[in-house]
Amino acid sequence: MTEQLTVQQMAERLLAADNILILCHKNPDGDTLGCGGALYYALRALDRTAGVLCSDPIPPQYAYLNLHLYKGEFEPSLVVAVDVAGIQLFGENNRVPEFARHVDLCIDHHAGNNGYAEYTLLDAGAAATAELLCEVIEAMGVALTPHIADCLYTGLATDTGCFKFSSTTARTHRVAAKLVEAGAHLEELNTLLFDNKSPERMEAERIARNHLEYYLDGRCALIYLTRDEIAATRVDPADLEELTSLPISIAGVKVGLTLRQQPGGSYRISVRTAKGVDACAIARRLGGGGHGRAAGCELLGNLENAKSAILAEVEAELNAREEG
Amino acid sequence: MTEQLTVQQMAERLLAADNILILCHKNPDGDTLGCGGALYYALRALDRTAGVLCSDPIPPQYAYLNLHLYKGEFEPSLVVAVDVAGIQLFGENNRVPEFARHVDLCIDHHAGNNGYAEYTLLDAGAAATAELLCEVIEAMGVALTPHIADCLYTGLATDTGCFKFSSTTARTHRVAAKLVEAGAHLEELNTLLFDNKSPERMEAERIARNHLEYYLDGRCALIYLTRDEIAATRVDPADLEELTSLPISIAGVKVGLTLRQQPGGSYRISVRTAKGVDACAIARRLGGGGHGRAAGCELLGNLENAKSAILAEVEAELNAREEG
């Protein structure tokens, strides 16, 4: 059972430590890496020894975070996890399991955080862990340098789709204002994070858009990519995540579906819904799960089987909603 | 010659008036309409009679602004323009020219505002006129209602591409925070403004992406739509504006070109450039103009002629830049 800390208590525990190992989650995103960088440079400003560790390689677009990766150069006396909701999200490489066995501190914004750390600062109302970490760094008495601001802005902007997602609050915008004032390179970062799509990803999106289909009187839109198409474009599968928001962005669409065939042949289905339609209920009936507006499941069989199975559940959910 | 006012002076001039006509610019966007709505409801909160006038119809996606359109029900004693950079942008319909002959007040954020009004509040550092108008409304002593906040958020979010454009500053985010606190419906508005693309627009984008071409070792990307393709999709040409940001969003691309054939057969070319490449210099050499990162020109002749003419200028500009 973890003990919940306040921002001030978390800051005090960090200030009391040295030789600090910062753990990010596997398949790292802008929030976990931005937080890793921000906390590292905040600790360095206080002359602490620290390092960042991640089970997976750092995606090249985040090179500017200039993460100091831990390579065994000190014996960690404190392990702190940033933006990691559960022990299973640490990953298996780079000696990560060895350190993830005992996590001292955890700073996170995922409501489902399962309390694996000894002490946890959890704020599910934060749009990004970076939003929360900004307060911790200030409570540590560290001035926000332009680079720390860049790291935190990275977390804030990527986790909110540049302030578009419904998780964005007044506090999110207020923290963004503070980071820009501290010297965050808003223009360069927004270009790098949001206008930097690989030609391979563009090609995959082109094919997916050529496969756009409407169902149920335009209330459901569907795109798909077969494994052969994915392979032919040589796109990084991680780059396809963003495509899942495409079908739901169409006017009148209540359920947006994205079907991506996996290397084994099965179809991974992402379900995105408009306000008031339960994505999780749709995915759960096919053995999947997720959140109210974003869920997923995986189906064996060919494309036509996968389509008809998911469309039947979408129709059932839309009908139930109209009757309800 | 116009007289420049401060925020406080603008507020005082508005407070001193009644029977106020608010003019928006033609081809209205979220900023001019959001400002029109916000100022109208602020004046109504002070029991003033007011109305909003625009030369063009209000696009249906802005119906929620609930604009009170002027229909001649009072004799205007004060005319105030919001987000209108020049007299030529008022338009010719709905009795607009009659009132645009003498504009008392102008609130704007366009650096190129040519001072057509008697008194002007101009702040080119504001990312949207709504950012500036928010201060005026506060200086008028009007509390931001949820609806006024919705109107101002509409201007702020649409003029910044949801806080992505380089015009976004710390103040932009601070005003956004204030609007969310005042009750702006951020989730619903972001869905309506950014995830509400018509099937016709999706189809036009599909075709344009099928026409994606790379030139100059991937430093230039180009998309195009012929007039027949545009006609076949039945897309509203205004919906194609957003496509111009597509080619420049690709990694490695320094110049993004969008060619749209006009009803008369000529090609309208939009030039978007990465930081450090002068879009205006490229367009100017072909008789066009614009800003440093976004410019345009129009070329007669067929598609191949238009392509080779613009590509020659792009190459010249990229080479000049490398030599410079």
Side-chain angles (χ1 to χ4, degrees), chain B residues 2-33:
Chain B
T2 190
E3 186 179 326
Q4 297 290 338
L5 299 186
T6 64
V7 166
Q8 189 58 43
Q9 289 168 330
M10 179 57 76
E12 282 163 14
R13 290 206 170 256
L14 286 164
L15 286 172
D18 201 353
N19 297 314
I20 298 149
L21 183 69
I22 304 165
L23 292 183
C24 298
H25 64 69
K26 65 180 179 179
N27 302 318
D29 61 9
D31 197 19
T32 199
L33 296 177

mmCIF file of all heavy atoms in Angstrom, chain B residues 2-33:
data_model
loop_
_atom_site.group_PDB
_atom_site.id
_atom_site.type_symbol
_atom_site.label_atom_id
_atom_site.label_comp_id
_atom_site.label_asym_id
_atom_site.label_seq_id
_atom_site.Cartn_x
_atom_site.Cartn_y
_atom_site.Cartn_z
ATOM 1 N N THR B 2 -5.707 57.774 -37.774
ATOM 2 C CA THR B 2 -6.414 57.279 -36.594
ATOM 3 C C THR B 2 -5.678 57.670 -35.313
ATOM 4 O O THR B 2 -4.469 57.896 -35.334
ATOM 5 C CB THR B 2 -6.535 55.736 -36.681
ATOM 6 O OG1 THR B 2 -7.418 55.279 -35.663
ATOM 7 C CG2 THR B 2 -5.182 55.055 -36.477
ATOM 8 N N GLU B 3 -6.418 57.747 -34.216
ATOM 9 C CA GLU B 3 -5.790 57.991 -32.921
ATOM 10 C C GLU B 3 -5.719 56.675 -32.155
ATOM 11 O O GLU B 3 -6.726 55.968 -32.052
ATOM 12 C CB GLU B 3 -6.595 59.032 -32.133
ATOM 13 C CG GLU B 3 -5.921 59.433 -30.826
ATOM 14 C CD GLU B 3 -6.726 60.492 -30.073
ATOM 15 O OE1 GLU B 3 -7.350 61.340 -30.754
ATOM 16 O OE2 GLU B 3 -6.749 60.466 -28.846
ATOM 17 N N GLN B 4 -4.543 56.335 -31.655
ATOM 18 C CA GLN B 4 -4.388 55.078 -30.922
ATOM 19 C C GLN B 4 -4.904 55.218 -29.499
ATOM 20 O O GLN B 4 -4.623 56.214 -28.828
ATOM 21 C CB GLN B 4 -2.898 54.677 -30.882
ATOM 22 C CG GLN B 4 -2.279 54.403 -32.246
ATOM 23 C CD GLN B 4 -2.798 53.133 -32.909
ATOM 24 O OE1 GLN B 4 -3.306 52.241 -32.230
ATOM 25 N NE2 GLN B 4 -2.668 53.057 -34.229
ATOM 26 N N LEU B 5 -5.653 54.220 -29.061
ATOM 27 C CA LEU B 5 -6.187 54.217 -27.698
ATOM 28 C C LEU B 5 -5.526 53.112 -26.872
ATOM 29 O O LEU B 5 -5.042 52.120 -27.419
ATOM 30 C CB LEU B 5 -7.699 53.958 -27.711
ATOM 31 C CG LEU B 5 -8.601 54.949 -28.441
ATOM 32 C CD1 LEU B 5 -10.062 54.567 -28.191
ATOM 33 C CD2 LEU B 5 -8.348 56.370 -27.977
ATOM 34 N N THR B 6 -5.557 53.288 -25.554
ATOM 35 C CA THR B 6 -5.172 52.192 -24.651
ATOM 36 C C THR B 6 -6.407 51.334 -24.395
ATOM 37 O O THR B 6 -7.534 51.717 -24.760
ATOM 38 C CB THR B 6 -4.679 52.742 -23.308
ATOM 39 O OG1 THR B 6 -5.776 53.424 -22.684
ATOM 40 C CG2 THR B 6 -3.513 53.711 -23.490
ATOM 41 N N VAL B 7 -6.206 50.201 -23.764
ATOM 42 C CA VAL B 7 -7.318 49.322 -23.399
ATOM 43 C C VAL B 7 -8.329 50.100 -22.560
ATOM 44 O O VAL B 7 -9.549 50.055 -22.805
ATOM 45 C CB VAL B 7 -6.799 48.081 -22.631
ATOM 46 C CG1 VAL B 7 -7.949 47.335 -21.954
ATOM 47 C CG2 VAL B 7 -6.047 47.149 -23.580
ATOM 48 N N GLN B 8 -7.841 50.839 -21.578
ATOM 49 C CA GLN B 8 -8.711 51.600 -20.676
ATOM 50 C C GLN B 8 -9.512 52.660 -21.440
ATOM 51 O O GLN B 8 -10.719 52.809 -21.233
ATOM 52 C CB GLN B 8 -7.835 52.255 -19.590
ATOM 53 C CG GLN B 8 -8.627 52.895 -18.458
ATOM 54 C CD GLN B 8 -9.533 51.886 -17.754
ATOM 55 O OE1 GLN B 8 -9.127 50.759 -17.486
ATOM 56 N NE2 GLN B 8 -10.777 52.275 -17.501
ATOM 57 N N GLN B 9 -8.830 53.362 -22.348
ATOM 58 C CA GLN B 9 -9.521 54.395 -23.143
ATOM 59 C C GLN B 9 -10.581 53.779 -24.047
ATOM 60 O O GLN B 9 -11.670 54.347 -24.223
ATOM 61 C CB GLN B 9 -8.502 55.180 -23.982
ATOM 62 C CG GLN B 9 -7.610 56.107 -23.160
ATOM 63 C CD GLN B 9 -6.439 56.647 -23.965
ATOM 64 O OE1 GLN B 9 -5.956 55.988 -24.888
ATOM 65 N NE2 GLN B 9 -5.966 57.841 -23.602
ATOM 66 N N MET B 10 -10.265 52.622 -24.632
ATOM 67 C CA MET B 10 -11.247 51.940 -25.482
ATOM 68 C C MET B 10 -12.468 51.556 -24.649
ATOM 69 O O MET B 10 -13.618 51.745 -25.071
ATOM 70 C CB MET B 10 -10.611 50.707 -26.128
ATOM 71 C CG MET B 10 -11.534 49.885 -27.022
ATOM 72 S SD MET B 10 -12.307 50.800 -28.390
ATOM 73 C CE MET B 10 -10.950 50.948 -29.550
ATOM 74 N N ALA B 11 -12.226 51.018 -23.459
ATOM 75 C CA ALA B 11 -13.324 50.625 -22.571
ATOM 76 C C ALA B 11 -14.187 51.842 -22.247
ATOM 77 O O ALA B 11 -15.429 51.767 -22.272
ATOM 78 C CB ALA B 11 -12.763 49.996 -21.298
ATOM 79 N N GLU B 12 -13.559 52.963 -21.981
ATOM 80 C CA GLU B 12 -14.312 54.173 -21.622
ATOM 81 C C GLU B 12 -15.184 54.662 -22.785
ATOM 82 O O GLU B 12 -16.322 55.070 -22.588
ATOM 83 C CB GLU B 12 -13.349 55.284 -21.182
ATOM 84 C CG GLU B 12 -12.844 55.068 -19.754
ATOM 85 C CD GLU B 12 -11.601 55.883 -19.432
ATOM 86 O OE1 GLU B 12 -11.280 56.807 -20.204
ATOM 87 O OE2 GLU B 12 -10.945 55.566 -18.417
ATOM 88 N N ARG B 13 -14.638 54.599 -23.995
ATOM 89 C CA ARG B 13 -15.418 55.045 -25.164
ATOM 90 C C ARG B 13 -16.604 54.127 -25.402
ATOM 91 O O ARG B 13 -17.679 54.578 -25.797
ATOM 92 C CB ARG B 13 -14.537 55.105 -26.415
ATOM 93 C CG ARG B 13 -13.528 56.233 -26.319
ATOM 94 C CD ARG B 13 -13.067 56.764 -27.659
ATOM 95 N NE ARG B 13 -12.308 57.984 -27.423
ATOM 96 C CZ ARG B 13 -12.763 59.216 -27.649
ATOM 97 N NH1 ARG B 13 -13.958 59.398 -28.171
ATOM 98 N NH2 ARG B 13 -12.016 60.266 -27.378
ATOM 99 N N LEU B 14 -16.437 52.841 -25.155
ATOM 100 C CA LEU B 14 -17.555 51.917 -25.318
ATOM 101 C C LEU B 14 -18.595 52.157 -24.233
ATOM 102 O O LEU B 14 -19.805 52.147 -24.495
ATOM 103 C CB LEU B 14 -17.052 50.467 -25.267
ATOM 104 C CG LEU B 14 -16.298 50.003 -26.529
ATOM 105 C CD1 LEU B 14 -15.513 48.723 -26.259
ATOM 106 C CD2 LEU B 14 -17.278 49.784 -27.697
ATOM 107 N N LEU B 15 -18.141 52.400 -23.003
ATOM 108 C CA LEU B 15 -19.062 52.622 -21.883
ATOM 109 C C LEU B 15 -19.884 53.894 -22.080
ATOM 110 O O LEU B 15 -21.027 53.981 -21.610
ATOM 111 C CB LEU B 15 -18.272 52.722 -20.567
ATOM 112 C CG LEU B 15 -17.717 51.409 -20.011
ATOM 113 C CD1 LEU B 15 -16.791 51.676 -18.827
ATOM 114 C CD2 LEU B 15 -18.857 50.472 -19.594
ATOM 115 N N ALA B 16 -19.310 54.868 -22.803
ATOM 116 C CA ALA B 16 -19.986 56.151 -22.977
ATOM 117 C C ALA B 16 -21.068 56.091 -24.054
ATOM 118 O O ALA B 16 -21.835 57.045 -24.223
ATOM 119 C CB ALA B 16 -18.956 57.224 -23.337
ATOM 120 N N ALA B 17 -21.140 54.979 -24.794
ATOM 121 C CA ALA B 17 -22.014 54.923 -25.974
ATOM 122 C C ALA B 17 -23.260 54.070 -25.751
ATOM 123 O O ALA B 17 -23.363 53.308 -24.786
ATOM 124 C CB ALA B 17 -21.222 54.377 -27.155
ATOM 125 N N ASP B 18 -24.206 54.224 -26.675
ATOM 126 C CA ASP B 18 -25.355 53.313 -26.759
ATOM 127 C C ASP B 18 -25.709 53.185 -28.241
ATOM 128 O O ASP B 18 -25.191 53.926 -29.065
ATOM 129 C CB ASP B 18 -26.531 53.845 -25.944
ATOM 130 C CG ASP B 18 -27.516 52.722 -25.599
ATOM 131 O OD1 ASP B 18 -27.333 51.585 -26.106
ATOM 132 O OD2 ASP B 18 -28.443 52.970 -24.839
ATOM 133 N N ASN B 19 -26.586 52.216 -28.576
ATOM 134 C CA ASN B 19 -26.934 51.953 -29.972
ATOM 135 C C ASN B 19 -25.661 51.696 -30.790
ATOM 136 O O ASN B 19 -25.292 52.462 -31.673
ATOM 137 C CB ASN B 19 -27.746 53.097 -30.564
ATOM 138 C CG ASN B 19 -29.072 53.245 -29.847
ATOM 139 O OD1 ASN B 19 -29.766 52.261 -29.610
ATOM 140 N ND2 ASN B 19 -29.408 54.472 -29.452
ATOM 141 N N ILE B 20 -25.014 50.603 -30.432
ATOM 142 C CA ILE B 20 -23.683 50.301 -30.947
ATOM 143 C C ILE B 20 -23.755 49.221 -32.023
ATOM 144 O O ILE B 20 -24.317 48.147 -31.812
ATOM 145 C CB ILE B 20 -22.777 49.844 -29.781
ATOM 146 C CG1 ILE B 20 -22.660 50.994 -28.770
ATOM 147 C CG2 ILE B 20 -21.418 49.394 -30.275
ATOM 148 C CD1 ILE B 20 -22.486 50.534 -27.361
ATOM 149 N N LEU B 21 -23.180 49.528 -33.169
ATOM 150 C CA LEU B 21 -23.135 48.559 -34.255
ATOM 151 C C LEU B 21 -21.723 47.958 -34.311
ATOM 152 O O LEU B 21 -20.737 48.691 -34.409
ATOM 153 C CB LEU B 21 -23.471 49.220 -35.587
ATOM 154 C CG LEU B 21 -23.508 48.263 -36.786
ATOM 155 C CD1 LEU B 21 -24.695 47.306 -36.675
ATOM 156 C CD2 LEU B 21 -23.572 49.035 -38.101
ATOM 157 N N ILE B 22 -21.648 46.625 -34.261
ATOM 158 C CA ILE B 22 -20.368 45.915 -34.276
ATOM 159 C C ILE B 22 -20.165 45.320 -35.664
ATOM 160 O O ILE B 22 -20.985 44.532 -36.128
ATOM 161 C CB ILE B 22 -20.357 44.790 -33.213
ATOM 162 C CG1 ILE B 22 -20.663 45.380 -31.821
ATOM 163 C CG2 ILE B 22 -19.021 44.046 -33.229
ATOM 164 C CD1 ILE B 22 -21.036 44.332 -30.779
ATOM 165 N N LEU B 23 -19.096 45.712 -36.336
ATOM 166 C CA LEU B 23 -18.820 45.214 -37.689
ATOM 167 C C LEU B 23 -17.737 44.133 -37.668
ATOM 168 O O LEU B 23 -16.669 44.319 -37.083
ATOM 169 C CB LEU B 23 -18.350 46.355 -38.594
ATOM 170 C CG LEU B 23 -19.352 47.443 -38.965
ATOM 171 C CD1 LEU B 23 -18.693 48.444 -39.928
ATOM 172 C CD2 LEU B 23 -20.604 46.851 -39.605
ATOM 173 N N CYS B 24 -18.026 43.020 -38.350
ATOM 174 C CA CYS B 24 -17.040 41.936 -38.525
ATOM 175 C C CYS B 24 -16.494 42.017 -39.949
ATOM 176 O O CYS B 24 -17.052 42.698 -40.805
ATOM 177 C CB CYS B 24 -17.695 40.572 -38.311
ATOM 178 S SG CYS B 24 -18.342 40.356 -36.633
ATOM 179 N N HIS B 25 -15.393 41.296 -40.216
ATOM 180 C CA HIS B 25 -14.874 41.300 -41.579
ATOM 181 C C HIS B 25 -15.588 40.261 -42.447
ATOM 182 O O HIS B 25 -16.210 39.330 -41.941
ATOM 183 C CB HIS B 25 -13.351 41.130 -41.622
ATOM 184 C CG HIS B 25 -12.809 39.832 -41.111
ATOM 185 N ND1 HIS B 25 -12.993 38.630 -41.755
ATOM 186 C CD2 HIS B 25 -12.053 39.552 -40.019
ATOM 187 C CE1 HIS B 25 -12.363 37.667 -41.081
ATOM 188 N NE2 HIS B 25 -11.792 38.197 -40.022
ATOM 189 N N LYS B 26 -15.518 40.478 -43.768
ATOM 190 C CA LYS B 26 -16.122 39.525 -44.717
ATOM 191 C C LYS B 26 -15.397 38.189 -44.626
ATOM 192 O O LYS B 26 -14.325 38.102 -44.009
ATOM 193 C CB LYS B 26 -16.071 40.087 -46.133
ATOM 194 C CG LYS B 26 -14.670 40.267 -46.709
ATOM 195 C CD LYS B 26 -14.726 40.846 -48.125
ATOM 196 C CE LYS B 26 -13.311 41.033 -48.684
ATOM 197 N NZ LYS B 26 -13.317 41.575 -50.048
ATOM 198 N N ASN B 27 -15.957 37.129 -45.244
ATOM 199 C CA ASN B 27 -15.427 35.772 -45.078
ATOM 200 C C ASN B 27 -15.101 35.552 -43.606
ATOM 201 O O ASN B 27 -13.965 35.279 -43.235
ATOM 202 C CB ASN B 27 -14.166 35.550 -45.909
ATOM 203 C CG ASN B 27 -14.388 35.797 -47.378
ATOM 204 O OD1 ASN B 27 -15.404 35.394 -47.926
ATOM 205 N ND2 ASN B 27 -13.450 36.480 -48.018
ATOM 206 N N PRO B 28 -16.094 35.672 -42.742
ATOM 207 C CA PRO B 28 -15.811 35.764 -41.309
ATOM 208 C C PRO B 28 -15.196 34.482 -40.745
ATOM 209 O O PRO B 28 -15.556 33.379 -41.147
ATOM 210 C CB PRO B 28 -17.192 36.017 -40.696
ATOM 211 C CG PRO B 28 -18.153 35.418 -41.658
ATOM 212 C CD PRO B 28 -17.555 35.668 -43.013
ATOM 213 N N ASP B 29 -14.270 34.667 -39.817
ATOM 214 C CA ASP B 29 -13.627 33.534 -39.141
ATOM 215 C C ASP B 29 -14.011 33.555 -37.664
ATOM 216 O O ASP B 29 -14.808 34.392 -37.221
ATOM 217 C CB ASP B 29 -12.108 33.584 -39.335
ATOM 218 C CG ASP B 29 -11.493 34.836 -38.752
ATOM 219 O OD1 ASP B 29 -12.188 35.606 -38.044
ATOM 220 O OD2 ASP B 29 -10.291 35.056 -38.994
ATOM 221 N N GLY B 30 -13.447 32.628 -36.921
ATOM 222 C CA GLY B 30 -13.798 32.492 -35.507
ATOM 223 C C GLY B 30 -13.416 33.698 -34.675
ATOM 224 O O GLY B 30 -14.090 34.012 -33.687
ATOM 225 N N ASP B 31 -12.354 34.400 -35.070
ATOM 226 C CA ASP B 31 -11.922 35.533 -34.251
ATOM 227 C C ASP B 31 -12.860 36.723 -34.426
ATOM 228 O O ASP B 31 -13.337 37.299 -33.444
ATOM 229 C CB ASP B 31 -10.477 35.913 -34.590
ATOM 230 C CG ASP B 31 -9.830 36.778 -33.516
ATOM 231 O OD1 ASP B 31 -10.340 36.785 -32.365
ATOM 232 O OD2 ASP B 31 -8.817 37.438 -33.799
ATOM 233 N N THR B 32 -13.163 37.094 -35.671
ATOM 234 C CA THR B 32 -14.039 38.259 -35.853
ATOM 235 C C THR B 32 -15.439 37.986 -35.310
ATOM 236 O O THR B 32 -16.053 38.842 -34.670
ATOM 237 C CB THR B 32 -14.067 38.706 -37.348
ATOM 238 O OG1 THR B 32 -14.547 40.044 -37.430
ATOM 239 C CG2 THR B 32 -14.915 37.793 -38.212
ATOM 240 N N LEU B 33 -15.959 36.764 -35.509
ATOM 241 C CA LEU B 33 -17.302 36.438 -35.024
ATOM 242 C C LEU B 33 -17.319 36.258 -33.509
ATOM 243 O O LEU B 33 -18.243 36.705 -32.826
ATOM 244 C CB LEU B 33 -17.818 35.178 -35.721
ATOM 245 C CG LEU B 33 -18.031 35.290 -37.236
ATOM 246 C CD1 LEU B 33 -18.465 33.946 -37.809
ATOM 247 C CD2 LEU B 33 -19.057 36.373 -37.568
#
